[in-house]
Amino acid sequence: MTDGRHRLAVIGAGPAGLAASLAAAARGIRVTLIDAGVTAGGQFYRRPAPGLHARRPGALHHQWRTWERLEEGLARHLEAGTVEHLADHHVWLVEPAGTGEGGSTAPGFAVHALPGPLQERSVVVRADAVLLATGGYERVLPFPGWTLPGVVTAGGAQAMLKGGLVVPGRTAVVAGTGPLLLPVATGLAGAGVEVAALVESADPRAFARRAAALAAQPAKVAEGARYAAQLLRHRVPFLAHHTVVEAHGEERLDAVTVAALGPEGRVRSGTERRIRCDTLAVGHGMIPHTDLAETLGCRIDGLRVDVDDEQRTDVPGVWAAGETTGIGGSALALAEGHIAGRSIADRLSGTAPHPRTTTRAIRSRTRLRAFSAALDTVYAPPAHWTDQVGDDTVVCRCEEVTGSRIREAVADLGAGDVRTVKLLTRAGMGWCQGRMCEAAVAGLAGCELTPARRLLARPVPLGVLAGAGEEPDD
């Protein structure tokens, strides 16, 4: 890829990254698609490894035809040489090219990635523009017993099923809040797992209050109705406005206690019930991945990357699309990715943007953003979830920091933000750098969850930092 044409680095091969890559490549831009996965598709289109010989890989997905169109488009561009796909490449830094080797003042960007499972060396991809389509990660909220073997995140259970065709146990409870719980519960039930209960903390009255916004997306409502029908067919008990209070077990999980929530989001005393299970798949929504955007200096609005109508960030040459700009699902990610790809192609080629060419995507984006905003209010975690975090409950697993230490840092030592709590307790200083526990620490500290600006987006070997990156083979 050294023909002098404009080059775009797309980081993330999920729905947004794929849509942007295809839109930009179709307009003459050379695209390097960089992704940590061994195959394209991201978490949403995760599929079984070829060696598993799955006869119906689309059985665990909806919108499978959409994936087939994306896959076919990617294959055409790969064959034509207009897209290069760097799979199993883990991006740890994006920087303006002028700050790279020897103080070069070359324009564009340098994308640093660790290839392969060993991740012992780094390669550099040079590009005129960058699209951040880095997705999101699960919000983890602790409760007594959540570290027991058998307790997994909802997304983790789904990944095991989609990618490995394995189930985490024989009897499962699916709990938390958010639309992800529905496909997880139905997927497990369809795979032969006894789903003892689907425990959703959202108040049904919240759906009624957002009925108009939700009804504006009839396809999404129909999708939810199909999941509900599958739950009925598998006879999965549905406990609305309930939450998990505690997970029980010695060597591993053997039961959970759930309870009803009152109007203010507090557990109603006397409503507790114990459910036998060997698996608890629990999730409380998603948080955008903004690490790379933060290192580039992009403006962050709350927890998401701020973008304009063309999906441009406030850093020239950097676009963002998909969950990193706000959690909204695959359809919204596809629309944003398409808009970003068209915008990048126009900007790099010096062609004035033609809004009418993306009218359909823009309209879809507007409707889906409104729908997602309504869901955010419906599926908010229980207001008083911290009441269930005991003093001996581990909050930061990496550093084994308990609830009592965090509360002491706030009450006795005056900590008023996540960073200060981190310095006083080491919560968030472990391998995951707070990605698992930041939301919990912020909740216990009673402060706002804000992105923690990190120098590097992932752990990097010291030898890599000491040496110069390699250019990938053309």
Side-chain angles (χ1 to χ4, degrees):
M1 287 196 178
T2 57
D3 59 1
R5 296 167 69 180
H6 292 292
R7 294 185 64 171
L8 164 66
V10 175
I11 304 173
L18 286 171
S21 297
L22 299 185
R27 285 152 189 82
I29 304 300
R30 304 302 293 263
V31 177
T32 302
L33 178 60
I34 311 166
D35 189 63
V38 294
T39 59
Q43 298 299 321
F44 187 78
Y45 293 119
R46 181 189 289 268
R47 299 169 313 288
L52 294 175
H53 305 293
R55 288 180 295 176
R56 294 187 301 129
L60 296 171
H61 296 75
H62 62 285
Q63 302 175 3
W64 185 247
R65 181 56 191 146
T66 300
W67 159 248
E68 290 180 325
R69 288 195 294 268
L70 292 171
E71 185 180 36
E72 291 164 3
L74 178 61
R76 287 195 300 269
H77 283 290
L78 290 173
E79 184 177 1
T82 49
V83 174
E84 177 185 18
H85 180 205
L86 300 182
D88 202 10
H89 277 61
H90 309 261
V91 176
W92 56 275
L93 179 66
V94 180
E95 60 179 348
T99 64
E101 302 169 10
S104 168
T105 58
F109 298 88
V111 180
H112 300 264
L114 302 170
L118 297 180
Q119 301 179 34
E120 293 179 344
R121 63 185 180 91
S122 186
V123 299
V124 180
V125 174
R126 305 202 178 273
D128 301 295
V130 171
L131 171 71
L132 304 175
T134 48
Y137 58 99
E138 287 192 86
R139 184 196 307 268
V140 178
L141 301 180
F143 50 87
W146 74 287
T147 58
L148 279 169
V151 180
V152 298
T153 64
Q158 188 181 57
M160 292 172 66
L161 191 56
K162 283 185 175 182
L165 299 181
V166 295
V167 295
R170 296 182 177 181
T171 305
V173 169
V174 179
T177 190
L180 178 61
L181 301 187
L182 290 171
V184 171
T186 56
L188 291 175
V193 176
E194 178 189 351
V195 180
L198 172 56
V199 183
E200 169 60 67
S201 66
D203 188 341
R205 290 173 296 184
F207 288 91
R209 290 192 291 268
R210 298 291 184 271
L214 298 176
Q217 287 292 312
K220 292 288 186 181
V221 175
E223 181 182 314
R226 287 193 295 272
Y227 282 129
Q230 292 179 56
L231 292 174
L232 286 172
R233 186 166 65 251
H234 290 289
R235 298 181 179 179
V236 175
F238 178 59
L239 302 179
H241 211 205
H242 279 64
T243 191
V244 171
V245 175
E246 185 175 358
H248 308 279
E250 294 295 333
E251 297 297 324
R252 61 167 292 115
L253 179 75
D254 59 36
V256 298
T257 294
V258 304
L261 293 167
E264 297 181 354
R266 296 185 187 276
V267 169
R268 289 169 50 198
S269 180
T271 64
E272 295 85 357
R273 68 174 78 176
R274 191 170 175 126
I275 303 174
R276 302 285 300 180
C277 61
D278 59 21
T279 299
L280 170 62
V282 60
H284 290 92
M286 304 283 291
I287 298 174
H289 257 307
T290 59
D291 291 353
L292 294 174
E294 292 158 26
T295 61
L296 282 164
C298 300
R299 183 171 56 246
I300 309 296
D301 180 7
L303 293 175
R304 63 181 183 84
V305 180
D306 190 39
V307 293
D308 66 8
D309 288 343
E310 294 181 44
Q311 300 295 138
R312 294 181 299 173
T313 72
D314 62 329
V315 175
V318 180
W319 280 253
E323 310 286 45
T324 192
T325 67
I327 305 302
S330 64
L332 177 56
L334 288 168
E336 291 186 352
H338 181 80
I339 293 167
R342 297 290 294 260
S343 170
I344 292 166
D346 290 338
R347 295 287 177 177
L348 290 183
S349 63
T351 305
H354 298 286
R356 279 180 291 182
T357 62
T358 56
T359 296
R360 181 176 179 181
I362 290 172
R363 288 176 177 171
S364 178
R365 180 182 64 183
T366 299
R367 293 193 299 267
L368 288 167
R369 281 181 175 174
F371 181 81
S372 298
L375 286 186
D376 284 345
T377 61
V378 170
Y379 286 123
H384 299 280
W385 64 266
T386 56
D387 292 351
Q388 307 310 311
V389 180
D391 285 345
D392 59 349
T393 301
V394 172
V395 176
C396 172
R397 299 181 71 163
C398 297
E399 296 294 324
E400 298 184 348
V401 180
T402 61
S404 64
R405 289 178 60 191
I406 294 172
R407 291 182 173 115
E408 287 168 5
V410 175
D412 300 339
L413 302 177
D417 56 69
V418 172
R419 182 176 182 274
T420 305
V421 172
K422 179 177 182 178
L423 293 173
L424 293 171
T425 68
R426 294 191 59 82
M429 287 191 180
W431 181 258
C432 80
Q433 286 295 286
R435 291 171 181 83
M436 287 284 288
C437 66
E438 270 182 351
V441 171
L444 287 172
C447 62
E448 183 179 359
L449 177 61
T450 57
R453 188 161 187 171
R454 302 177 178 94
L455 178 62
L456 306 177
R458 60 179 297 109
V460 181
L462 288 176
V464 168
L465 293 177
E470 306 170 12
E471 303 284 346
D473 296 331
D474 285 334

